[in-house]
Amino acid sequence: MITVNADGKIMVRRCLVTLRPFRIFVLGIGFFTLCFLMTSLGGQFSAKRLGDSPFTIRTEVMGALESRGVLRRMSDMLEMLMKRMDILARLENSTDFHKGDEARFPLDRFQPAAGLMERIQAIAQNVSDIAIKVDQILRNSLLNGKGVDGRRDQCEVPRDPKYPDCAGKVEWMRARWTSDPCYAFFGVDGTECSFLIYLSEVEWFCPPLPWRNQTAALPSPPPLPRVQAAFRNDLAHLLELIGTGKESLSFMKKRIRHLAQQWLRAAQLLEQKLKGRQRDQKHILIHIGFLTEESGDVFSPRVLKGGPLGEMVQWADILATLFLLGHSLRVTVSLKELQSHLGVPPGRGNCPLTNPLPFDLIYTDYHGLQQMKQHMGLSFKKYRCRVRVIDTFGTEPAYNHEEYATLRGYRTNWGYWNLQPTQFMTMFPHTPDNSFMGFVSEELNQTERQFIKSNKVSSMAVVYGKEASIWKGKEKFLAILNKYMEIHGTVYYETQRPPEVPAFVKNHGLLPQHEFQQLLRKAKLFIGFGFPYEGPAPLEAIANGCVFLQARFNPPHSSLNHEFFRGKPTSREVSSQHPYAEDFIGKPHVWTVDYNNSEEFEAAIKTIMSTQVDPYLPYEYTCEGMLERIHAYIQHQDFCTMPSPPLPPKAKSPAMQSSPSPLALSPNATHLVWSPSASRDLHAWPPVASLQVWVSEPQHSCTETCQQHGLVCEPTFFRFLNKKEVFLQLSITCDSTEYEMNHLYPAVAENVHECYLQKEPLLFSCAGYKALSLPRLPQRTSGSVQGLLV
């Protein structure tokens, strides 16, 4: 007889009181067991090889010992659980503690114990039966596999000098082939032959096996003739492609509808300008990575709460542009859709795509780029030339080159992709190293312009900033401004007025876009307090006849001294809240002053109140300007067929002086131009005839030097300058000439007559002008071109 003390009775009571939750727990254990079984087998019982029937079961994927071990552990776990339940039941039978407690603990709570024990026993028996059956299947499968094809376990690793990585890849497959189910999807089953078949037919690290020639796929038929792109005159289908389900998507669709008439009119104008020029229709995937759930999608919940909208404004305009140009689009905002469109094999992303990429171009962002690399395996490297990255603040060559960025301290979370720098497309023309994508602002007709001019309120100002934090610490500026103008704000709030907004400010709350436009059409001044940086709102204000007043940053903000830019793949120094407005528009539409100087700030407000300005919108931010620009990129930018530049000769090699330069001195001998006698590629873009070469001053980048001469630095021209002959033509003495990997080269250190040529074409940079490791700053050569878009 078993005796139980009072503490033991209490313990057993609690166990039995909680028996129903425990039953749920045990059922959960059973469900977990089945899931564990399926996960451990990796879904590979149904994995098929190329050429197999989709219904062929392949059970040799997992080794017999491994699968039996998994099932045995599950059976042991359930048996232990059953024994412990049996001990509890015997404890219950040995006591009569529940006789006096039936009122508090109804007996029906304890009765399921017997049934629960039976269920546990049944689960354990089922797992045991499954283990026996799987063991038999595995044994039979291995025996049959050896009998059907004796070659499968008799392959030897070929020693072909054309495939130096083959042996190492086979070794890796031996150890790691079960790490990703995608290998089994392509027919890898643990045998040497399956490794070699995969590494030669799916990947390209090993030579094809001779005995596989008879099963080789027939050559693919020639591609069908390209469909010609035709300008569209209706945006309804684009709105369907964008989809629903997110506030950010609703915002983009509203913007497209609002600007629909301007888009359609601009498309007609560009069509007339092109005069029927033939254009191939491109198959384009647009994957907006920052809106996927996997990236956090921090923007969608903030659309209606004053969050930043600049990225969504730009994406909406990109979608409208590509659609109106007549290209075939697919739009994704989820990882699952991306995988489906790309043809990603099941697994963890280590294998190439199942079929050739069906898209000519992919527009995405940094989040989408990371997702593509994670799920495309080796195919990412093969197809990355088709990617265009929408990059708000830009990526400079020093940050883009992975090896160089790591060695020289330019490594950030967002760079190191080894793309052509012009594959990054920016919101504003930050640097010619990247491509300027842009966006559009609403363009006014003549009637609207006259109405705005006659209804402007010279004493009305609107503050740039929808979040209350932007207003914090700005009381001094606002007090001065309040002496002369009525101040309006559009700060988001739910119930209470934000305390950061002074009482004398008329806060309208967050306004819909069309109401915000109406407010700007009345106001005289649109004032910024230093943040947000480089958004679309100042251009919208200027287009509606406002003067934009912004702060000058001294010292300029950059990744070296400001938290916002830290980690971004650029060394750009931002001299004001909106450098584009300061440099490319300027007075009278844009005033940049020192906010720390109260007298300068106050004098600027007085002058602005008495200054008459007309609405102004730069052509590049009109619908027609954006359509023209993107059309030119699609027609002329081809990063997949660009010839690989030859390896540079070693220093002091006679080959360095063997190829004559196609450049010649200009008539006034101040710079170099393309020689009239040199051959020209009529299909080159930009055309080489527009090339000019100037020597920049110390401390000046190529971008700055070109701007001084009314030109734009064109990075594709650097390949013509990266020669010693060019230095000689510019009367630069080179006692020594060296090839190095440096984003400052080609360059010259004149005081010691040392010339430097670029070893890595990805590092050709218009923006680079500061060296972290050089004690002196060499002068730079500069390739320049005026804008030619069509």
Side-chain angles (χ1 to χ4, degrees):
M1 176 153 182
I2 301 175
T3 59
V4 182
N5 59 23
D7 292 338
K9 291 182 179 181
I10 294 173
M11 181 186 68
V12 175
R13 242 191 231 118
R14 289 177 178 172
C15 289
L16 293 174
V17 168
T18 58
L19 192 56
R20 182 169 296 169
F22 185 73
R23 176 177 57 184
I24 297 173
F25 167 75
V26 174
L27 291 175
I29 286 291
F31 177 77
F32 167 78
T33 302
L34 295 176
C35 292
F36 182 72
L37 171 62
M38 297 171 66
T39 305
S40 300
L41 297 180
Q44 299 177 22
F45 286 162
S46 60
K48 60 181 181 297
R49 294 182 300 174
L50 298 177
D52 285 345
S53 164
F55 305 103
T56 301
I57 303 299
R58 304 200 58 80
T59 54
E60 67 268 33
V61 170
M62 176 177 287
L65 292 177
E66 182 180 352
S67 58
R68 286 199 298 271
V70 170
L71 294 168
R72 188 182 300 113
R73 288 194 297 271
M74 292 158 43
S75 180
D76 292 344
M77 179 178 66
L78 288 169
E79 185 178 357
M80 182 182 299
L81 184 60
M82 183 179 65
K83 288 180 179 179
R84 292 182 178 178
M85 287 293 297
D86 185 55
I87 293 174
L88 276 178
R90 285 190 282 110
L91 284 173
E92 176 193 359
N93 294 333
S94 65
T95 62
D96 58 349
F97 71 95
H98 54 81
K99 290 182 180 179
D101 294 329
E102 289 182 358
R104 283 187 296 166
F105 305 108
L107 187 60
D108 60 0
R109 287 195 178 187
F110 310 138
Q111 289 176 348
L116 183 59
M117 290 291 294
E118 293 175 358
R119 293 180 186 180
I120 295 174
Q121 290 175 343
I123 292 173
Q125 184 62 44
N126 288 338
V127 171
S128 179
D129 293 342
I130 291 172
I132 295 171
K133 291 178 181 179
V134 169
D135 187 17
Q136 293 174 348
I137 293 173
L138 288 172
R139 289 177 181 275
N140 294 334
S141 176
L142 289 174
L143 291 173
N144 292 336
K146 291 180 180 179
V148 171
D149 189 357
R151 296 174 185 257
R152 295 186 54 77
D153 55 1
Q154 297 177 3
C155 293
E156 295 183 0
V157 179
R159 305 296 177 182
D160 190 332
K162 296 180 181 179
Y163 299 89
D165 299 323
C166 183
K169 290 293 181 179
V170 170
E171 190 65 30
W172 188 94
M173 291 291 289
R174 289 194 193 108
R176 302 290 305 278
W177 75 274
T178 58
S179 63
D180 194 324
C182 71
Y183 297 116
F185 174 83
F186 282 110
V188 177
D189 57 12
T191 61
E192 207 81 352
C193 289
S194 69
F195 299 154
L196 292 171
I197 292 171
Y198 174 83
L199 292 172
S200 61
E201 298 179 11
V202 181
E203 297 183 6
W204 46 87
F205 294 104
C206 295
L209 298 177
W211 55 273
R212 291 282 294 180
N213 287 341
Q214 57 186 350
T215 60
L218 295 175
S220 56
L224 296 175
R226 278 284 190 176
V227 176
Q228 291 300 300
F231 284 93
R232 293 188 173 97
N233 55 14
D234 188 0
L235 289 165
H237 182 55
L238 173 62
L239 300 178
E240 296 177 6
L241 287 175
I242 293 174
T244 59
K246 291 178 179 286
E247 288 294 342
S248 49
L249 299 180
S250 299
F251 172 85
M252 289 191 282
K253 291 166 72 171
K254 288 178 183 177
R255 175 175 175 82
I256 292 172
R257 289 193 194 97
H258 179 70
L259 295 174
Q261 293 305 314
Q262 294 195 25
W263 278 119
L264 295 174
R265 185 167 56 251
Q268 292 175 355
L269 293 174
L270 181 59
E271 185 176 15
Q272 295 170 6
K273 186 182 295 186
L274 294 178
K275 298 178 180 179
R277 187 178 305 176
Q278 295 292 301
R279 301 179 298 119
D280 289 342
Q281 186 185 65
K282 305 291 185 182
H283 296 278
I284 301 176
L285 175 65
I286 296 118
H287 176 62
I288 311 176
F290 74 88
L291 293 183
T292 61
E293 298 300 329
E294 289 77 11
S295 67
D297 188 13
V298 297
F299 285 88
S300 293
R302 301 175 62 192
V303 168
L304 302 179
K305 297 183 179 181
L309 301 177
E311 287 85 353
M312 281 172 279
V313 165
Q314 187 180 33
W315 275 108
D317 296 345
I318 291 170
L319 286 164
T321 300
L322 296 173
F323 183 79
L324 287 173
L325 287 174
H327 299 293
S328 174
L329 308 185
R330 290 290 182 271
V331 183
T332 68
V333 291
S334 77
L335 184 57
K336 184 177 180 180
E337 289 178 316
L338 174 68
Q339 293 172 323
S340 174
H341 286 308
L342 294 179
V344 175
R348 301 183 180 92
N350 290 310
C351 298
L353 302 182
T354 55
N355 295 300
L357 186 70
F359 300 103
D360 302 300
L361 293 170
I362 299 177
Y363 287 82
T364 188
D365 52 26
Y366 263 123
H367 292 284
L369 195 64
Q370 182 64 47
Q371 291 168 351
M372 289 167 56
K373 181 179 180 181
Q374 182 179 354
H375 293 276
M376 290 176 66
L378 291 174
S379 294
F380 177 79
K381 185 176 182 180
K382 179 179 180 180
Y383 293 118
R384 65 184 176 184
C385 60
R386 304 188 191 184
V387 173
R388 305 294 183 266
V389 184
I390 308 305
D391 178 11
T392 304
F393 293 97
T395 298
E396 294 176 7
Y399 296 82
N400 171 59
H401 193 283
E402 183 175 17
E403 179 186 358
Y404 185 78
T406 304
L407 293 175
R408 298 297 185 94
Y410 291 102
R411 182 83 181 226
T412 67
N413 291 332
W414 302 104
Y416 63 82
W417 287 94
N418 293 323
L419 302 177
Q420 293 292 332
T422 40
Q423 288 181 255
F424 297 98
M425 313 191 100
T426 58
M427 183 172 283
F428 292 96
H430 305 306
T431 168
D433 293 326
N434 301 147
S435 297
F436 164 49
M437 169 61 76
F439 58 94
V440 304
S441 288
E442 187 170 357
E443 195 172 3
L444 306 177
N445 58 38
Q446 193 59 37
T447 302
E448 292 169 327
R449 293 166 66 91
Q450 286 299 123
F451 178 83
I452 287 174
K453 289 177 65 175
S454 60
N455 287 274
K456 279 289 179 184
V457 180
S458 60
S459 60
M460 178 178 172
V462 176
V463 174
Y464 180 20
K466 297 174 292 185
E467 295 185 346
S469 59
I470 297 173
W471 295 65
K472 190 174 182 179
K474 306 301 188 297
E475 295 83 2
K476 182 179 179 181
F477 312 134
L478 290 169
I480 296 174
L481 181 61
N482 189 48
K483 290 166 52 178
Y484 301 95
M485 308 184 83
E486 180 182 76
I487 306 174
H488 294 251
T490 57
V491 183
Y492 168 80
Y493 66 93
E494 292 182 354
T495 55
Q496 295 183 338
R497 179 188 179 93
E500 294 86 351
V501 181
F504 55 77
V505 174
K506 185 177 181 181
N507 185 30
H508 299 263
L510 195 63
L511 294 177
Q513 185 66 16
H514 69 279
E515 293 184 25
F516 180 65
Q517 293 277 358
Q518 295 301 320
L519 191 65
L520 292 177
R521 293 183 179 188
K522 293 181 181 179
K524 177 74 174 183
L525 176 67
F526 189 63
I527 180 171
F529 286 145
F531 189 84
Y533 295 100
E534 301 176 300
L539 264 68
E540 294 176 352
I542 296 167
N544 283 284
C546 292
V547 174
F548 178 52
L549 177 64
Q550 63 174 345
R552 180 184 298 114
F553 299 148
N554 189 19
H557 293 179
S558 71
S559 58
L560 299 178
N561 62 9
H562 201 275
E563 186 62 33
F564 179 83
F565 290 100
R566 191 164 289 119
K568 291 182 170 58
T570 173
S571 297
R572 187 165 58 97
E573 293 183 335
V574 178
S575 58
S576 62
Q577 182 174 355
H578 208 292
Y580 172 84
E582 177 186 7
D583 296 335
F584 292 91
I585 300 178
K587 292 181 179 180
H589 302 279
V590 179
W591 289 65
T592 306
V593 301
D594 183 3
Y595 277 27
N596 294 320
N597 187 328
S598 300
E599 294 179 358
E600 182 182 357
F601 179 79
E602 190 168 357
I605 293 175
K606 292 179 181 178
T607 306
I608 289 170
M609 292 181 66
S610 60
T611 301
Q612 185 73 26
V613 297
D614 294 331
Y616 173 71
L617 180 62
Y619 175 75
E620 57 264 32
Y621 286 96
T622 64
C623 292
E624 184 181 356
M626 186 167 182
L627 281 166
E628 181 181 296
R629 185 167 59 251
I630 306 311
H631 155 73
Y633 289 150
I634 292 175
Q635 292 300 112
H636 299 294
Q637 285 186 336
D638 186 351
F639 304 108
C640 298
T641 59
M642 289 178 61
S644 301
L647 292 175
K650 297 181 180 179
K652 300 181 180 181
S653 169
M656 184 176 294
Q657 302 177 4
S658 61
S659 57
S661 170
L663 307 176
L665 273 175
S666 63
N668 58 6
T670 57
H671 60 283
L672 299 180
V673 296
W674 193 263
S675 174
S677 60
S679 62
R680 301 181 184 181
D681 182 357
L682 298 179
H683 300 288
W685 188 82
V688 293
S690 59
L691 169 63
Q692 298 181 28
V693 184
W694 297 79
V695 179
S696 65
E697 296 294 327
Q699 305 293 328
H700 282 203
S701 68
C702 292
T703 300
E704 294 168 332
T705 301
C706 290
Q707 288 177 348
Q708 291 173 1
H709 297 284
L711 304 170
V712 177
C713 180
E714 174 51 55
T716 61
F717 286 161
F718 272 110
R719 57 195 174 100
F720 300 116
L721 316 182
N722 200 41
K723 300 178 180 180
K724 182 179 180 180
E725 289 75 20
V726 176
F727 289 87
L728 301 178
Q729 287 179 290
L730 290 166
S731 301
I732 296 173
T733 302
C734 296
D735 291 342
S736 65
T737 304
E738 298 180 7
Y739 274 92
E740 289 188 17
M741 190 169 66
N742 194 304
H743 74 291
L744 303 177
Y745 299 162
V748 57
E750 284 193 318
N751 55 339
V752 292
H753 297 167
E754 293 179 355
C755 297
Y756 303 94
L757 300 179
Q758 182 60 257
K759 186 178 180 181
E760 173 51 71
L762 285 182
L763 288 174
F764 284 137
S765 176
C766 291
Y769 70 100
K770 285 188 176 180
L772 299 179
S773 58
L774 295 180
R776 56 189 176 274
L777 187 66
Q779 291 184 320
R780 296 288 311 276
T781 53
S782 173
S784 311
V785 63
Q786 295 181 346
L788 297 170
L789 295 179
V790 179

